[in-house]
Amino acid sequence: HARRDKNVATLVERSLVLVKPDGVKRALTGAIIDRIERKGMRVIAMDLRSLPRELVEEHYAEHQGKPFFEPLVSFMLSGPVVAMVIEGHRCIEAFRTLSGATDPVKAAPGTIRGDLATDVGTTVVQNLVHGSDSPASAEREIKLFFPDLA
Ligand code: UDP
């Protein structure tokens, strides 16, 4: 009998995903959701919204003081985003793997950024999506974007 390894036990997580303004403008929201769902993850909350500056600054607080911080904030305010909470087995890491590297030129083919991002930004990397990078970040970011979610 094959025994199931402890490491593959189901671990249902939630992650915050954003389709950034470049993704909304290029009408790639549907394609991005399609990839999330085909991978086996579910969208459990979602809306299209224009973000207030304070929320963007709080969301990216770890980057405050870096040269790309102001361009990044401006970029995130340049149009609406689609904010969502996804759920699934190890979905925090799974979505990061699906997104690909931050730099779309280096992102592997097959990933969202590798296949779809072009990065025509000059001062900020335009890479279509954001996904929480750890369980602690996911908890913080979900509270920030969806405070009413149980
Ligand atoms: N970013 C940038 N220049 C950099 C690093 C990051 O413009 O040198 C932007 C880019 O849009 C990135 C976001 O800031 O997605 C957040 O950076 P992070 O390192 O958290 O990358 P991510 O988790 O989004 O891959």
Side-chain angles (χ1 to χ4, degrees):
H1 290 286
R3 279 183 53 199
R4 207 169 178 213
D5 192 286
K6 268 189 187 147
N7 294 329
V8 297
T10 303
L11 176 64
V12 177
E13 294 175 332
R14 289 179 177 181
S15 187
L16 180 86
V17 168
L18 301 175
V19 179
K20 292 179 173 182
D22 55 336
V24 174
K25 283 194 185 108
R26 290 179 55 208
L28 290 172
T29 303
I32 290 164
I33 293 170
D34 186 49
R35 283 164 172 256
I36 290 168
E37 293 187 334
R38 280 158 60 197
K39 180 68 180 168
M41 303 181 279
R42 304 184 70 80
V43 176
I44 63 161
M46 174 167 67
D47 59 34
L48 174 79
R49 50 173 111 164
S50 298
L51 303 176
R53 172 175 281 272
E54 312 77 67
L55 177 62
V56 174
E57 290 181 348
E58 180 68 30
H59 173 65
Y60 281 126
E62 66 170 302
H63 295 308
Q64 230 142 31
K66 294 182 188 170
F68 63 86
F69 181 73
E70 277 308 323
L72 175 60
V73 171
S74 304
F75 167 57
M76 294 301 287
L77 298 176
S78 67
V81 305
V82 172
M84 60 185 116
V85 177
I86 63 167
E87 189 175 83
H89 172 62
R90 296 175 63 198
C91 76
I92 297 167
E93 188 179 354
F95 183 77
R96 300 277 298 182
T97 303
L98 189 63
S99 299
T102 304
D103 178 352
V105 170
K106 293 184 178 137
T111 65
I112 292 169
R113 289 164 171 173
D115 287 349
L116 306 174
T118 50
D119 188 21
V120 291
T122 46
T123 50
V124 69
V125 179
Q126 299 192 10
N127 51 17
L128 301 174
V129 288
H130 165 82
S132 307
D133 66 3
S134 68
S137 300
E139 195 187 339
R140 185 181 80 84
E141 294 171 1
I142 290 169
K143 276 202 190 112
L144 207 51
F145 281 81
F146 292 92
D148 297 334
L149 197 69

